[in-house]
Amino acid sequence: MSDADILDLAGLGAGPFNLSIAALADSHMPRLATRFFERRHDPVWHPGLMLPDTHLQTGFLKDLVTAVAPDSRHSFLSYLVEHHRFYRFLNAELGTVSRAEFSDYLGWAARRLDNVALGEAVREVQLDGRGFRLRTDDGDYRARHLSLGTGKRPWLPDFAEALRGPHCLHAAEIARTRRDFGGRRVVVVGGGQSGADIFLNALRGHWGQPRELHWVSRRRNFEPLDETAFTNEYFTPDYTRRFHGLPREVREREVAAQKLASDGITPAALQSLYRELYHRFDVLGEPRWARLFPHREATALDRNGLGFTLTTEHGLTGGRERFNADVVVFATGFCSHLPDCLGDLTPRLERNAHGELVLGPHFEASWDGPSAHRIYAVNAGRHSHGIAEPQLSLMAWRSATILNHVAGHQAFDLREDDGPIDWQPTAEQRWVQAI
């Protein structure tokens, strides 16, 4: 294989984040040799969470490309035009896109990109003197750099992992198979958006009407996503760049304090849920078979006949409660995971205390390999780049940052005018303080 056949960047996975890099490289950097490998033949975004009337928490302009390349043919607006529904989308006055439509958009983009290999899984990655060697289902490739975009794994508490099955499951699996909640006792654990979506669909009888429906959360209340204007300044390139330069302990403190800016429940979902509860149990007078239990931390799950007993501890009183259930759904988020195909390269990557990769300003991972061959990572730097990093909001900007770094020149102009907020004191302000 000659140097001309070596890829400049090989991507492991073609979820939305790596797909964004592929789309920008295709439309604006044709001389850069890239290829992104996706094991699925027909990619669907989070198929296990594809529930009725569920929406993104970000606007449709924060798609694969628009933020840095609005003229790209891979934009969401191009998708609408090609599918002949541009005006109907506008007339619907949707503040956000449904999960179903956004997943269809991603599939549309993946299928039309020549640098995305669908149905071709990477089985092994090794490093030698010429860079990375990849063995896939269809052949061997060489690449100067890698981009890791295989996503995270659903996380269950340790006490629930051993009981995992069709009736003790993670939220990410809820829509993968047909389910029947009719006449059953159902407990949903986790107070974020996924928990809200599952509780609301169960309340509406999407899987049949449960006999009992309980929603348990360790949060103090069922709290709204903070999507106000100044909070959304956290989701800007300027803030993200400044955040990366902060000391580690400051970054960790800020991520914890900003939780509801990225991990709350949309006000629209909360309003729909409250109205549904009011109409059923106050107006229609149904027996109150659905209840909400905030400020309870799940601490144990035990078998109880054919069902389960979930034990919780109250955050105010320390008292314990037990919930008997036939079905327990854990909406407990995801954890970092590196693909098995990295093999011997995995222990060479530096991790922080949270198990995340340590990332540089261009999303390059810190590792003990040669600096001429870099490993980039997406959806891996919440504690290095801030709460926006795992979200769709800065997807296109991050992709352009990575591509600029790979190319060694500014193919994308990422400069910005000053925003309304001064996040850090200027040199003059620091001088005044010193006096």
Side-chain angles (χ1 to χ4, degrees):
M1 183 179 292
S2 68
D3 286 348
D5 297 322
I6 297 177
L7 298 170
D8 294 300
L9 182 67
L12 276 57
F17 295 153
N18 259 359
L19 191 59
S20 171
I21 302 174
L24 286 175
D26 172 80
S27 58
H28 284 71
M29 304 182 74
R31 294 184 180 179
L32 202 67
T34 63
R35 192 169 181 85
F36 295 79
F37 301 93
E38 172 57 52
R39 61 179 176 79
R40 296 171 297 177
H41 291 273
D42 188 18
V44 178
W45 186 55
H46 288 312
L49 285 170
M50 205 63 67
L51 300 173
D53 198 28
T54 53
H55 288 72
L56 306 184
Q57 292 183 339
T58 54
F60 66 89
L61 290 179
K62 296 178 178 180
D63 61 9
L64 296 172
V65 294
T66 296
V68 297
D71 56 337
S72 171
R73 65 190 186 96
H74 305 304
S75 70
F76 182 75
L77 290 179
S78 294
Y79 159 83
L80 289 176
V81 171
E82 185 167 309
H83 286 78
H84 312 294
R85 60 173 184 262
F86 175 81
Y87 292 105
R88 292 196 301 279
F89 179 85
L90 292 185
N91 292 342
E93 296 185 354
L94 297 169
T96 58
V97 183
S98 70
R99 281 184 171 271
E101 188 168 28
F102 193 73
S103 178
D104 190 60
Y105 159 62
L106 295 178
W108 168 82
R111 288 187 292 272
R112 72 207 302 257
L113 285 165
D114 292 336
N115 60 349
V116 173
L118 297 175
E120 186 172 358
V122 177
R123 301 301 178 183
E124 184 180 26
V125 180
Q126 293 183 339
L127 177 72
D128 59 25
R130 298 176 61 193
F132 299 104
R133 188 171 72 250
L134 290 75
R135 181 175 62 82
T136 78
D137 291 334
D138 295 341
D140 294 338
Y141 299 84
R142 284 192 173 275
R144 294 185 175 89
H145 310 293
L146 297 178
S147 177
L148 307 181
T150 51
K152 297 187 175 185
R153 282 184 172 172
W155 181 83
L156 286 184
D158 290 341
F159 59 75
E161 190 65 54
L163 298 174
R164 193 170 194 158
H167 299 122
C168 173
L169 63 146
H170 190 274
E173 306 161 23
I174 189 74
R176 286 188 178 274
T177 60
R178 293 190 57 148
R179 303 192 182 276
D180 182 8
F181 288 177
R184 295 172 180 258
R185 300 164 300 173
V186 178
V187 175
V188 179
V189 181
Q193 184 69 47
S194 295
D197 290 338
I198 291 169
F199 184 83
L200 184 55
N201 274 277
L203 181 65
R204 290 172 171 171
H206 178 62
W207 300 284
Q209 182 171 312
R211 174 154 58 101
E212 291 180 355
L213 176 61
H214 294 158
W215 186 11
V216 174
S217 173
R218 68 179 176 182
R219 301 183 189 190
R220 289 173 171 80
N221 202 344
F222 296 93
E223 298 172 313
L225 179 75
D226 184 352
E227 49 187 353
T228 51
F230 288 105
T231 296
N232 282 336
E233 284 289 320
Y234 292 144
F235 298 85
T236 60
D238 177 56
Y239 181 81
T240 302
R241 279 191 290 258
R242 292 176 185 272
F243 184 93
H244 184 269
L246 296 171
R248 177 188 57 79
E249 61 276 10
V250 175
R251 284 187 272 115
E252 295 198 0
R253 181 192 69 203
E254 293 303 298
V255 163
Q258 296 166 8
K259 183 177 181 66
L260 291 177
S262 65
D263 196 23
I265 304 167
T266 61
L270 288 173
Q271 191 71 61
S272 295
L273 175 56
Y274 198 92
R275 286 172 176 169
E276 189 89 17
L277 292 167
Y278 174 75
H279 184 68
R280 280 181 175 274
F281 304 117
D282 292 291
V283 177
L284 300 182
E286 292 184 21
R288 199 171 288 275
W289 51 268
R291 293 181 179 274
L292 288 74
F293 298 88
H295 227 318
R296 275 89 163 173
E297 181 169 5
T299 59
L301 184 70
D302 300 293
R303 276 283 183 194
N304 183 358
L306 296 177
F308 309 91
T309 297
L310 179 77
T311 303
T312 66
E313 182 175 311
H314 198 282
L316 292 177
T317 66
R320 299 201 170 200
E321 294 170 279
R322 289 176 175 82
F323 298 85
N324 293 322
D326 301 302
V327 180
V328 184
V329 183
F330 286 90
T332 44
F334 298 80
C335 60
S336 297
H337 165 70
L338 291 177
D340 295 336
C341 64
L342 286 180
D344 295 340
L345 298 182
T346 297
R348 303 180 65 176
L349 291 158
E350 184 180 354
R351 307 278 194 119
N352 62 21
H354 303 277
E356 296 174 339
L357 298 177
V358 176
L359 301 182
H362 306 97
F363 302 93
E364 71 279 21
S366 176
W367 75 311
D368 65 3
S371 59
H373 302 296
R374 296 184 291 273
I375 300 176
Y376 299 91
V378 294
N379 192 11
R382 181 180 176 86
H383 288 84
S384 62
H385 287 79
I387 58 170
E389 206 279 334
Q391 310 296 321
L392 298 174
S393 298
L394 293 181
M395 172 167 59
W397 170 79
R398 176 181 53 205
S399 299
T401 299
I402 291 172
L403 287 171
N404 281 350
H405 199 236
V406 170
H409 64 88
Q410 299 299 304
F412 297 94
D413 184 357
L414 301 181
R415 293 173 298 175
E416 288 188 283
D417 291 336
D418 291 339
I421 300 177
D422 288 334
W423 292 108
Q424 293 174 316
T426 63
E428 181 180 356
Q429 289 169 328
R430 287 195 295 269
W431 181 78
V432 170
Q433 291 170 356
I435 291 178

